[in-house]
Amino acid sequence: MTESQDWISSPTSPLRGEVRVPGDKSISHRAIMFASLADGVSRISGFLEGEDTRATARAFAQMGVRIETPTASERIVHGVGIDGLERPAAAIDCGNAGTGMRLLTGLLAGQGFDTTLTGDESLSKRPMRRVIEPLAQMGARIESQSGGLPPLRISGKSTLHGIDYTLPIASAQVKSALLLAGLYAQGETRVTEPHPTRDYSERMLRAFGYPIEFSAGRARLSGGHRLHATDVVVPADFSSAAFFLVAASIVPGSELTLRDVGMNPRRTGLLRALRLMGADIGETNARELGGEPVADLVVRHAPLHGVDVPIALVPDMIDEFPSLFVAAAAATGTTRVTGAAELRVKESDRIAVMAKGLRALGIAIEETPDGAIIHGGALHGGAADSAGDHRCAMSFVVAGLVARSPVKILDCANVATSFPGFVELANGCGFVLG
Ligand code: S3P
């Protein structure tokens, strides 16, 4: 278990400068997975050196994949081929990573050996039935703890067959788990989503030469083909850039440039929501990096006002609600979030954690089963408990910048799961965080 860590974020003068946040977490997980299964050697650059993605790299090392680390943000993966993974000697620890565990569950269901997946305290409370049930329909045998919770015991040597599955809830993790199992299944695996979600698995399978057809909200592939090594360039993680977008929007006089930010439309819902609230965020230098759209974002302080967050934006900003809540707290008027019940089963119950923390800082906020009603107001100092959730912790740091007096944020150690070096980077552009 990571040691508990508390931080203090203090009111600040304008934020200025240029920031390049670390590599995208979702893409980094997938790059390790597909490169491991490919024939040949792949180089990953811009890799997120966070605890979540390192846990995924360790998992493949446990299964016989040689992974070199020439620099912190690079990995050279010696792929073992689609059938080349070896039985790990011990259980695989996915740490805090829901993406790691859910995607691995799909992949491991197709192997010739048994495996056990474990996770930390937070991951051990996260629902896994959403992957277990459709994988069982494909012929997988997976045992969980009661309530569908980890650890998961996945039996190898199952014969998998493709299914045509419509996801009840939009989830890129579930979609990706089924596609990974589909690599090992007889026949075709088809996945349909209620709302399109991030399509990194689909794009990356294609980049690794695997035949796949996909369009918004749909993907299909057949088992039995091979992946061919390729180099992957990982853009900066929009979800990490989000804290700086909100911070510079709410701290008067600020202007920040965020470099190389991944702009996949299935990730940038917060940008659209902030613009609806009156934010001043420009995009320059739009281009492609490793097959993904990227841009530099220039964000200047602007007075924000409350909005009803359009429900259609929810899947495209599912990881950004903690920072949206802070933007709403610092805005004038009321912001309503609906259709976001998934927030209750993320690394923490993000509705409850953000509501409790912001209330402790003087904000009037009502929880609803699938969202919240946030009344913008003056933030005062105090203590906010992140409940070990990396994104809640960083969001409370942003709240501290505009509070009347310092904010103590409890339990911040897990920020390292997605954003190593956050404190240094933040202080480098004017945060007062220690
Ligand atoms: C992710 C998908 C999303 C997101 C998570 C990363 C992915 O989860 O919240 O942080 O990499 O596929 P769900 O699939 O549960 O929505």
Side-chain angles (χ1 to χ4, degrees), residues 321-330 352-365 374 378-380 383-385 395-396 399:
F321 280 96
S323 45
L324 183 276
F325 277 38
V326 172
V353 169
M354 291 308 299
K356 190 166 168 220
L358 288 174
R359 225 175 267 136
L361 303 178
I363 296 298
I365 172 166
I374 307 143
L379 284 141
H380 57 61
D385 189 349
S395 299
F396 290 134

Side-chain angles (χ1 to χ4, degrees), residues 35-368:
S36 295
L37 297 178
D39 297 313
V41 179
S42 302
R43 177 184 286 266
I44 306 169
S45 44
F47 181 74
L48 170 66
E49 180 77 347
E51 282 172 14
D52 277 13
T53 42
R54 283 167 54 194
T56 291
R58 265 197 310 275
F60 284 88
Q62 275 181 267
M63 294 188 281
V65 180
R66 187 154 78 84
I67 303 177
E68 295 172 69
T69 305
T71 66
S73 63
E74 279 177 301
R75 292 293 184 279
I76 296 173
V77 182
H78 297 259
V80 293
I82 191 96
D83 292 316
L85 295 176
E86 292 166 10
R87 188 177 74 83
I92 291 173
D93 182 359
C94 301
N96 191 245
T99 304
M101 183 173 280
R102 293 194 177 122
L103 270 59
L104 275 171
T105 303
L107 170 64
L108 293 171
Q111 304 304 314
F113 49 81
D114 298 349
T115 32
T116 300
L117 296 180
T118 63
D120 72 0
E121 199 187 328
S122 150
L123 184 52
S124 301
K125 291 186 205 136
R126 296 186 64 188
M128 294 296 150
R129 250 189 214 134
R130 53 184 64 199
V131 284
I132 296 173
E133 281 176 3
L135 288 171
Q137 288 177 31
M138 294 177 77
R141 285 170 298 145
I142 302 165
E143 278 172 44
S144 65
Q145 309 310 300
S146 73
L149 300 180
L152 302 181
R153 239 175 295 281
I154 304 162
S155 303
K157 301 200 188 79
S158 307
T159 305
L160 302 185
H161 50 82
I163 54 168
D164 186 347
Y165 189 72
T166 300
L167 273 73
I169 305 168
S171 165
Q173 292 177 355
V174 176
K175 169 178 64 175
S176 302
L178 301 187
L179 293 175
L180 279 159
L183 303 179
Y184 297 91
Q186 293 167 356
E188 190 171 74
T189 300
R190 291 181 191 214
V191 188
T192 307
E193 305 175 278
H195 304 282
T197 62
R198 64 194 77 190
D199 54 1
Y200 299 132
S201 300
E202 297 91 308
R203 286 166 178 247
M204 216 183 282
L205 278 165
R206 183 171 282 166
F208 277 88
Y210 199 93
I212 176 166
E213 279 176 43
F214 62 96
S215 57
R218 282 171 198 278
R220 55 197 257 195
L221 56 72
S222 297
H225 301 281
R226 300 192 73 84
L227 288 88
H228 308 287
T230 189
D231 293 346
V232 181
V233 183
V234 184
D237 197 323
F238 182 88
S239 296
S240 297
F243 305 107
F244 294 90
L245 293 179
V246 173
S249 293
I250 65 177
V251 175
S254 297
E255 177 170 337
L256 282 182
T257 300
L258 298 159
R259 295 271 177 225
D260 305 335
V261 182
M263 295 295 288
N264 185 308
R266 301 283 73 85
R267 295 291 300 285
T268 48
L270 178 77
L271 191 62
R272 284 169 268 155
L274 286 176
R275 283 179 175 151
L276 289 176
M277 297 173 79
D280 175 359
I281 304 171
E283 291 168 45
T284 60
N285 205 9
R287 61 207 186 277
E288 279 216 345
L289 191 65
E292 282 290 325
V294 299
D296 298 339
L297 299 179
V298 181
V299 50
R300 295 183 187 90
H301 167 258
L304 301 185
H305 53 82
V307 292
D308 289 356
V309 177
I311 215 160
L313 285 186
V314 169
D316 294 348
M317 56 183 289
I318 195 64
D319 293 331
E320 277 58 78
F321 280 96
S323 45
L324 183 276
F325 277 38
V326 172
T332 51
T334 300
T335 296
R336 285 182 193 80
V337 174
T338 51
E342 273 294 289
L343 297 179
R344 296 206 178 270
V345 289
K346 293 292 179 190
E347 285 83 330
S348 70
D349 175 341
R350 287 184 171 159
I351 297 174
V353 169
M354 291 308 299
K356 190 166 168 220
L358 288 174
R359 225 175 267 136
L361 303 178
I363 296 298
I365 172 166
E366 295 140 54
E367 275 188 51
T368 62

